[in-house]
């Protein structure tokens, strides 16, 4: 895994709790900075688990497991009604050594690479004498990739010079739910240990066993023998697949590594529902459902670059679900298709969902490079574009009831985000329609509408807000908002300097990224990630990279790791999945400036921070191909190479900010 070459120090490194290992994992070497507790989410196709873990003041490990079974639906069958169960069981606390319980645990380190590994030791008493580090323990924690199992492996080692006896209880726990409480009847949640009994462990030898936690329908055949080597190996194989495609190589190991982790979190949260593969945000709430923002807008346009076929299938499936709600009257498509596809949520009314879907579907179809899929998606894209066109106000911008923050903050009758997404969708549709043989008259109309909308965005939203020549988020908005970054992400740079100055001013920027609205304490990572992408794409590389490095160091190596988060205070900084897709797009669309223009073509506008000699994006899997993009400094210019099948497709020396046309 090529996660980094020459490392550079990132900002705030001294305050970091975690460090990057040579193989790309991160490790917390426990020292006197305890107690400390954190939470992280992991997922497979049948379950998700949030581990609330940490080290207490006495250096002992603490673990609370929160299991979610997305396809075991509870009544009423609404978005958040998944079967859930928490387990706070201390499994090592049930084990005895020479008839005594283990005491004085000291955690040495915690390692995470998509699998959590905890190394610690315990004391015991032998011949009335306390012996430290008498027994060491390695915990390995992970979800099954395809089954409704969460696994914990325990490996004990006898560190003493004499044999010890260990007892493992016959521990089994079973919960059941009432038959009338579940959509599919009664459910069972079971946990057990793989071994029980009395064991003699010689000096230097090990005793290993595992715990398994499972959720099923009551009549499902019970799990019999689980092979942890296969389950762990399956999880590891997926992580390797994600980390060994779309590889970022820069001189900054923190950015390289967080990019790798973002691919993992973005790709793992896909559930095999009766409505097909459905990417879900997670967070113990949002599963077996898709949203017009998280899936259609944020993560789906990213999946083709990663080459993860299950991700591509989930993207196509989400658009198919939205397409079911097209109608001749042009009533809005629901914001979310929920509960394995059987129902929908439209509680915030029209959030600009038509623009979100058109934007995501057209970018996905171009980058995917699959003509048959594009033909299928074209009807949905056409419908959404026409819907937005019918929603234009007398000012020429798109009206909507709310925005993706669903009335948490005011958005007026027409917001900047919706119009910006519609603008980009019109441009993508013109490119896509050309590939599909759509009449030029229709494509010319889209191009004309985009030009008119761009002018309307500047005329209506362009404004001086708090002394910055930037954008108001809606008519009447007089305080700075994070989402004023949106025009920068779609190539509208008319007010870029004032917008960037406003975004990174003390009124909006904090240690945790952008405040949603100046003067509040609320932040959502999604707007921060959009702003960083747009700032770099607009050519403000140094400023964007400075803040990106700070943000990445905090998220990857700080006190809450290793992913982008949803929000605070709402949700306690949950590791929602689609935000990690937005993190990756800072590089694909920001730093490298990839803009799809056809099934086999894209614009490329690469940039380098002044202290970097190179940046590579290897094993890109988009546009029906696999290729590498390599950028390096050469005699005051940037030398750009695009390599496919070991052959150079493009080799140019350019001034920074030059856009290249790439045809694969």
């Amino acid at each position: 895994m090529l996660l980094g070459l020459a490392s550079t120090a990132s900002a705030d490194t001294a305050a970091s709790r975690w460090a990057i290992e040579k193989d790309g994992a991160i490790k917390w070497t426990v020292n006197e900075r305890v107690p400390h507790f954190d939470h992280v989410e992991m997922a497979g196709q049948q379950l998700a688990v949030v581990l609330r873990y940490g080290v207490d003041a006495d250096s002992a490990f603490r673990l609370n497991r929160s299991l979610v079974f997305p396809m075991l639906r509870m009544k009423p069958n609404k978005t958040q009604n998944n079967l859930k169960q928490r387990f706070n069981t201390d499994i090592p606390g049930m084990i005895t050594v020479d008839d005594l319980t283990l005491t004085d645990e000291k955690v040495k380190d915690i390692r995470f690479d998509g699998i959590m590994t905890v190394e610690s030791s315990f004391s015991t008493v032998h011949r009335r004498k306390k012996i430290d580090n008498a027994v060491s323990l390695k915990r390995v924690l992970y979800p099954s990739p395809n089954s409704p199992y969460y696994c914990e492996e325990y490996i004990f080692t006898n560190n003493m010079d004499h044999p010890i006896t260990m007892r493992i209880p016959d521990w089994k726990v079973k919960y059941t739910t009432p038959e009338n409480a579940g959509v599919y009847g009664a459910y069972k949640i079971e946990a057990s240990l793989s071994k029980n009994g009395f064991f003699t462990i010689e000096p230097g030898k090990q005793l290993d066993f595992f715990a398994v936690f499972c959720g099923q329908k009551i009549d499902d055949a019970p799990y019999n023998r689980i092979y942890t080597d296969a389950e762990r190996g399956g999880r590891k194989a997926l992580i390797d697949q994600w980390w060994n495609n779309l590889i970022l190589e820069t001189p900054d190991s923190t950015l390289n590594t967080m990019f790798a982790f973002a691919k993992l979190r973005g790709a793992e949260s896909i559930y095999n529902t009766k409505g097909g593969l459905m990417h879900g945000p997670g967070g113990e709430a949002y599963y077996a459902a898709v949203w017009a923002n998280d899936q259609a807008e944020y993560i789906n346009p990213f999946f083709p670059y990663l080459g993860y076929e299950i991700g591509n299938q989930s993207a196509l499936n989400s658009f198919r679900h939205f397409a079911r709600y097209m109608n001749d009257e042009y009533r809005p498509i629901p914001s979310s298709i929920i509960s394995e596809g059987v129902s929908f949520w439209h509680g915030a009314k029209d959030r600009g969902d038509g623009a979100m879907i058109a934007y995501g579907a057209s970018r996905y179809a171009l980058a995917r490079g699959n003509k048959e899929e594009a033909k299928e998606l074209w009807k949905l894209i056409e419908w959404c574009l026409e819907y937005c066109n019918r929603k234009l106000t007398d000012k020429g911008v798109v009206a909507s009831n709310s925005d993706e923050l669903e009335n948490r903050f005011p958005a007026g009758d027409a917001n900047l985000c919706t119009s910006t997404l519609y603008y980009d969708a019109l441009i993508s549709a013109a490119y896509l329609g050309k590939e599909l043989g759509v009449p030029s008259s229709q494509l010319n109309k889209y191009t004309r509408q985009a030009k008119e909308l761009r002018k309307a965005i500047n005329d209506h939203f362009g404004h001086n807000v708090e002394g910055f020549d930037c954008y108001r988020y809606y008519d009447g908005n007089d305080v700075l908002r994070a989402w004023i970054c949106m025009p920068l992400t779609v190539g509208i740079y008319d007010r870029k300097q004032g917008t960037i100055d406003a975004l990174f001013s003390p009124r909006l920027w904090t240690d945790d990224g952008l405040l949603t609205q100046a003067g509040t304490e609320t932040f959502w990572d999604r707007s921060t990630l959009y702003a960083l992408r747009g700032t770099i794409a607009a050519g403000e590389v140094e400023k964007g990279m400075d803040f990106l490095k700070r943000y990445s160091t905090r998220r990857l190596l700080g006190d809450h790791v290793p992913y982008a988060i949803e929000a605070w205070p709402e949700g306690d900084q949950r590791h929602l999945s689609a935000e990690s897709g937005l993190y990756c797009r800072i590089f694909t669309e920001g730093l490298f400036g990839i803009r799809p223009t056809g099934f086999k073509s894209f614009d490329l506008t690469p940039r380098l921070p002044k202290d970097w000699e190179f940046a590579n994006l290897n094993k890109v899997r988009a546009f029906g191909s696999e290729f590498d993009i390599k950028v390096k400094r050469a005699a005051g210019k940037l030398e750009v190479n695009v390599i496919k099948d070991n052959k150079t497709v493009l080799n140019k020396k350019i001034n920074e900010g030059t856009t290249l046309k790439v045809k694969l």
Side-chain angles (χ1 to χ4, degrees), residues 374-390:
K375 285 180 180 178
E376 180 181 352
L377 293 177
W378 181 251
K379 291 181 180 179
L380 174 63
I381 294 166
E382 274 187 316
W383 189 95
C384 289
L385 293 177
E386 177 60 22
Y387 174 85
C388 292
N389 184 57
R390 294 183 180 210

Side-chain angles (χ1 to χ4, degrees), residues 63-131:
L63 178 65
N64 187 307
R65 316 144 184 91
S66 183
L67 304 179
V68 182
F69 301 96
M71 281 67 74
L72 299 181
R73 309 297 307 168
M74 305 300 291
K75 295 178 181 178
N77 195 3
K78 295 184 177 181
T79 303
Q80 298 193 29
N81 288 352
N82 321 277
L83 179 65
K84 306 178 184 73
Q85 182 69 45
R86 288 201 183 188
F87 288 87
N88 199 32
T89 307
D90 178 17
I91 289 175
M94 297 189 290
I95 311 303
T96 64
V97 173
D98 293 337
D99 306 328
L100 300 174
T101 55
L102 294 165
T103 60
D104 297 333
E105 180 178 17
K106 302 298 180 188
V107 177
K108 176 185 175 185
D109 56 59
I110 301 174
R111 188 177 188 275
F112 189 74
D113 61 358
I115 295 171
M116 182 173 286
T117 303
V118 184
E119 301 267 8
S120 61
S121 64
F122 293 86
S123 301
T124 190
V125 175
H126 180 65
R127 295 177 180 174
R128 299 184 180 181
K129 181 180 179 181
K130 180 183 175 183
I131 300 176

Side-chain angles (χ1 to χ4, degrees), residues 1-15:
M1 292 175 290
L2 300 176
L3 296 179
L5 299 177
S7 298
T8 60
S10 294
D12 301 324
T13 300

Side-chain angles (χ1 to χ4, degrees), residues 28 232 307 364 463 516 592:
W28 169 22
R232 182 180 2 92
Y364 167 82
H463 212 68
T516 300
F592 289 90

Side-chain angles (χ1 to χ4, degrees), residues 200-352:
T200 300
I201 315 300
E202 298 295 328
K205 299 299 182 182
Q206 296 180 334
L207 173 65
D208 63 88
F209 62 90
F210 62 87
V212 63
F213 302 77
C214 178
Q216 295 177 297
K217 297 173 184 175
I218 199 73
D219 294 328
D220 286 348
Y223 59 87
N224 292 317
R225 187 164 184 82
I226 293 175
Y227 296 93
T228 52
D229 285 349
E231 298 293 351
R232 182 180 2 92
R235 172 77 174 171
K236 183 66 166 59
L238 277 175
I239 295 167
D240 288 348
Q241 179 185 348
W242 300 325
W243 282 12
N244 287 319
N245 284 292
L246 193 65
I247 303 165
L248 178 70
E249 290 181 348
T250 76
D252 193 301
S253 62
T254 299
L255 300 184
N256 299 339
T257 306
M258 186 161 175
F259 186 87
F261 274 99
K263 291 184 293 179
L264 189 167
R265 181 68 192 130
E268 70 173 344
S269 191
I270 298 174
Y271 302 95
N272 192 2
T273 80
K274 73 177 185 181
L277 292 166
M278 301 181 81
H279 185 277
E284 298 177 87
Y286 308 115
Y287 303 90
V290 293
W291 279 259
N293 51 337
D294 290 70
Q295 281 67 52
E297 179 192 339
Y298 302 167
I299 193 78
N300 288 355
F302 168 71
F303 274 131
Y305 296 88
L306 184 58
Y308 181 45
E309 190 55 31
I310 287 174
N312 288 327
Q313 290 175 24
S314 76
L316 179 61
N317 188 51
S318 72
F319 292 128
R320 285 171 172 164
H321 277 296
F322 286 118
R324 292 163 42 207
Y325 292 89
M326 292 188 297
N327 57 85
D328 294 338
E329 297 77 25
Y330 284 92
R331 298 185 304 275
I333 290 178
S335 303
S336 176
I337 314 303
I338 67 170
S339 307
E340 301 183 274
V342 304
S343 187
F344 65 87
W345 177 83
H346 200 52
K349 299 183 179 179
D350 177 13
R351 309 176 309 158

Side-chain angles (χ1 to χ4, degrees), residues 185-196:
Y187 306 134
K188 57 185 178 183
I189 306 166
E190 298 177 285
S192 63
L193 301 182
S194 62
K195 287 180 183 176
N196 63 83

